[in-house]
Amino acid sequence: MNCRHCHSPLSLTFADLNTAPPSNAYLKPEDLSKPEPFFPLRTLVCTQCWLVQTQDFTSAEDVFTPEYGYFSSMSSSWLNHAKNYVNQITQSLELNNHHFVVEIASNDGYLLKNFKEKNIPCLGIEPTHSTAEASRALGIETLESFFGESLALDLAQKGKQADLIIGNNVYAHVPDLNDFTAGLKQLLKPEGTITLEFPHLKNLVDLNQFDTIYHEHFSYFSLSSVQAVLKTHGLRVYDLEQIPTHGGSLRLFICHKDAQTLPEKPSVAQLLAIEIEAGMQTEAYYANMQAKIRKVRAQLWHFLLEKEAQGAKVAAYGAAAKGNTLLNYCGVKDHDIIRYVVDASAFKKGRFMPGSRIPIVALEHLMEDKPDYILIFPWNLKPELEKLLEPTRTWGAKLVTFIPELKVS
Ligand SMILES: [Zn+2]
């Protein structure tokens, strides 16, 4: 396989998680008597541009699409994050009703509605019909489409270039990174700004967040690897922030290579120096990941077998990609060991986790069952979930996380 960005041959494995079904392929009861497709889940690193990427194979782009059953407005912390972002960027770019904002993967309008309230013209681009409809119901103009260079050229020809383009948690999920980035270039006004948010690869490595690897997450970025992609397409990073979402993300502020009014701020060189100091442009940095991942698997099995021997009841919370990656990599398939996974989504209730086939239930079920241990799969939401699960302390339940290592509290 060749690099998704620079087309150099790839030979260095970063993390090999064996095989897994698509992480959003939740099973209905009638699916349990059918076979399930499993695909290799392996990430490689390009030793030319240092882009970490999932292994490619035939039809990957058709099978692995982002989790579109997801409505962003369901998460209150995410809504707050969006609102704060809009207030901050409106102020710093001095946006008003003469400007034009485009959000890519605008979902149900959870973010753009904040611009609408400020009377700043905006457009959402969203390929999923159900969420695009929800966005239109809020009065937000929404184009139902995937984003790439041809759509961007089309919009530019209609005079719809943007002063601000927003891509929050979409860039890492794009299969054709070069086409998407070429689209950003075409859609941006000469002195416009693009902001992209994505989990920072340095946190994945340092904090052993290997469960953020799944097929639909095609790219794992360092600052330097994104800079390499942007440079190819005539763009550059002029500022950045490190933000806490998804276990530690970067928010990059990007402009045209030759923008006159947007000089590079010291934050960019500072983070680049940190990455270089850490060795992120050397093979050695990536070579130790697999050993760290295996350690988590050993801890998980040790924990589960010990609790089974003690006759303790073990359940889990969070039927999403992180839990699926962890269970499938570790090969946990037995719902005698993990009785069920609790999830707030009505869509997932009554279904089964892909691969592990552990049943998904509502919170009420856990409150009746009173398990002794609750595994928290979305460790990034632990403070929120500790509050939600506070009543389980009355019967002495303990919360367990496995990333970066086993912790029982
Ligand atoms: Zn490359």
Side-chain angles (χ1 to χ4, degrees), residues 3 5-8 10 46 48-51 53:
C3 173
H5 167 56
C6 74
H7 311 295
S8 304
L10 299 178
C46 174
Q48 294 301 308
C49 71
W50 302 105
L51 179 68
Q53 49 206 291

mmCIF file of all heavy atoms in Angstrom, residues 3 5-8 10 46 48-51 53, ligand 1:
data_model
loop_
_atom_site.group_PDB
_atom_site.id
_atom_site.type_symbol
_atom_site.label_atom_id
_atom_site.label_comp_id
_atom_site.label_asym_id
_atom_site.label_seq_id
_atom_site.Cartn_x
_atom_site.Cartn_y
_atom_site.Cartn_z
ATOM 1 N N CYS A 3 1.165 5.604 0.635
ATOM 2 C CA CYS A 3 0.640 6.646 1.530
ATOM 3 C C CYS A 3 -0.547 7.378 0.883
ATOM 4 O O CYS A 3 -0.494 7.745 -0.285
ATOM 5 C CB CYS A 3 1.765 7.626 1.848
ATOM 6 S SG CYS A 3 1.233 9.068 2.773
ATOM 7 N N HIS A 5 -1.390 10.283 1.341
ATOM 8 C CA HIS A 5 -1.034 11.649 0.954
ATOM 9 C C HIS A 5 0.063 11.701 -0.096
ATOM 10 O O HIS A 5 -0.151 12.169 -1.203
ATOM 11 C CB HIS A 5 -0.626 12.478 2.175
ATOM 12 C CG HIS A 5 0.027 13.764 1.786
ATOM 13 N ND1 HIS A 5 -0.592 14.668 0.946
ATOM 14 C CD2 HIS A 5 1.260 14.281 2.049
ATOM 15 C CE1 HIS A 5 0.211 15.689 0.735
ATOM 16 N NE2 HIS A 5 1.343 15.475 1.382
ATOM 17 N N CYS A 6 1.276 11.178 0.244
ATOM 18 C CA CYS A 6 2.430 11.424 -0.641
ATOM 19 C C CYS A 6 2.740 10.235 -1.559
ATOM 20 O O CYS A 6 3.657 10.308 -2.362
ATOM 21 C CB CYS A 6 3.649 11.819 0.185
ATOM 22 S SG CYS A 6 4.403 10.443 1.071
ATOM 23 N N HIS A 7 1.969 9.150 -1.419
ATOM 24 C CA HIS A 7 2.078 7.971 -2.295
ATOM 25 C C HIS A 7 3.378 7.181 -2.147
ATOM 26 O O HIS A 7 3.664 6.308 -2.955
ATOM 27 C CB HIS A 7 1.845 8.365 -3.777
ATOM 28 C CG HIS A 7 0.611 9.195 -3.974
ATOM 29 N ND1 HIS A 7 -0.646 8.698 -3.728
ATOM 30 C CD2 HIS A 7 0.445 10.485 -4.352
ATOM 31 C CE1 HIS A 7 -1.544 9.667 -3.949
ATOM 32 N NE2 HIS A 7 -0.908 10.751 -4.327
ATOM 33 N N SER A 8 4.165 7.450 -1.103
ATOM 34 C CA SER A 8 5.359 6.615 -0.848
ATOM 35 C C SER A 8 4.891 5.240 -0.373
ATOM 36 O O SER A 8 3.875 5.138 0.303
ATOM 37 C CB SER A 8 6.213 7.225 0.266
ATOM 38 O OG SER A 8 6.560 8.533 -0.045
ATOM 39 N N LEU A 10 4.361 2.122 1.947
ATOM 40 C CA LEU A 10 4.308 2.036 3.407
ATOM 41 C C LEU A 10 4.793 0.671 3.863
ATOM 42 O O LEU A 10 4.349 -0.348 3.349
ATOM 43 C CB LEU A 10 2.868 2.219 3.900
ATOM 44 C CG LEU A 10 2.186 3.540 3.577
ATOM 45 C CD1 LEU A 10 0.751 3.521 4.109
ATOM 46 C CD2 LEU A 10 2.949 4.703 4.181
ATOM 47 N N CYS A 46 3.812 6.540 7.423
ATOM 48 C CA CYS A 46 4.629 6.878 6.251
ATOM 49 C C CYS A 46 5.933 7.512 6.742
ATOM 50 O O CYS A 46 5.901 8.487 7.489
ATOM 51 C CB CYS A 46 3.870 7.861 5.361
ATOM 52 S SG CYS A 46 4.869 8.475 3.982
ATOM 53 N N GLN A 48 7.993 9.108 5.027
ATOM 54 C CA GLN A 48 8.300 10.332 4.278
ATOM 55 C C GLN A 48 7.556 11.534 4.865
ATOM 56 O O GLN A 48 8.165 12.533 5.200
ATOM 57 C CB GLN A 48 7.915 10.162 2.802
ATOM 58 C CG GLN A 48 8.752 9.128 2.074
ATOM 59 C CD GLN A 48 10.236 9.454 2.095
ATOM 60 O OE1 GLN A 48 10.636 10.561 1.739
ATOM 61 N NE2 GLN A 48 11.052 8.507 2.529
ATOM 62 N N CYS A 49 6.214 11.418 4.996
ATOM 63 C CA CYS A 49 5.438 12.570 5.492
ATOM 64 C C CYS A 49 4.924 12.345 6.917
ATOM 65 O O CYS A 49 4.288 13.211 7.491
ATOM 66 C CB CYS A 49 4.286 12.894 4.542
ATOM 67 S SG CYS A 49 2.936 11.695 4.550
ATOM 68 N N TRP A 50 5.178 11.152 7.513
ATOM 69 C CA TRP A 50 4.822 10.797 8.892
ATOM 70 C C TRP A 50 3.325 10.783 9.146
ATOM 71 O O TRP A 50 2.864 10.980 10.271
ATOM 72 C CB TRP A 50 5.578 11.683 9.904
ATOM 73 C CG TRP A 50 7.041 11.557 9.720
ATOM 74 C CD1 TRP A 50 7.863 12.465 9.151
ATOM 75 C CD2 TRP A 50 7.860 10.402 10.031
ATOM 76 N NE1 TRP A 50 9.155 11.971 9.096
ATOM 77 C CE2 TRP A 50 9.167 10.710 9.625
ATOM 78 C CE3 TRP A 50 7.595 9.146 10.610
ATOM 79 C CZ2 TRP A 50 10.229 9.823 9.772
ATOM 80 C CZ3 TRP A 50 8.656 8.262 10.757
ATOM 81 C CH2 TRP A 50 9.955 8.601 10.350
ATOM 82 N N LEU A 51 2.542 10.564 8.110
ATOM 83 C CA LEU A 51 1.104 10.400 8.289
ATOM 84 C C LEU A 51 0.824 8.966 8.746
ATOM 85 O O LEU A 51 1.242 8.013 8.088
ATOM 86 C CB LEU A 51 0.365 10.680 6.965
ATOM 87 C CG LEU A 51 -1.151 10.523 7.007
ATOM 88 C CD1 LEU A 51 -1.800 11.612 7.876
ATOM 89 C CD2 LEU A 51 -1.752 10.575 5.602
ATOM 90 N N GLN A 53 -1.927 6.116 9.179
ATOM 91 C CA GLN A 53 -3.145 5.880 8.403
ATOM 92 C C GLN A 53 -3.583 4.418 8.482
ATOM 93 O O GLN A 53 -2.760 3.541 8.690
ATOM 94 C CB GLN A 53 -2.900 6.274 6.951
ATOM 95 C CG GLN A 53 -1.620 5.678 6.365
ATOM 96 C CD GLN A 53 -1.075 6.528 5.232
ATOM 97 O OE1 GLN A 53 -1.673 6.599 4.181
ATOM 98 N NE2 GLN A 53 0.071 7.163 5.441
HETATM 99 ZN ZN ZN B 1 3.337 9.981 3.095
#
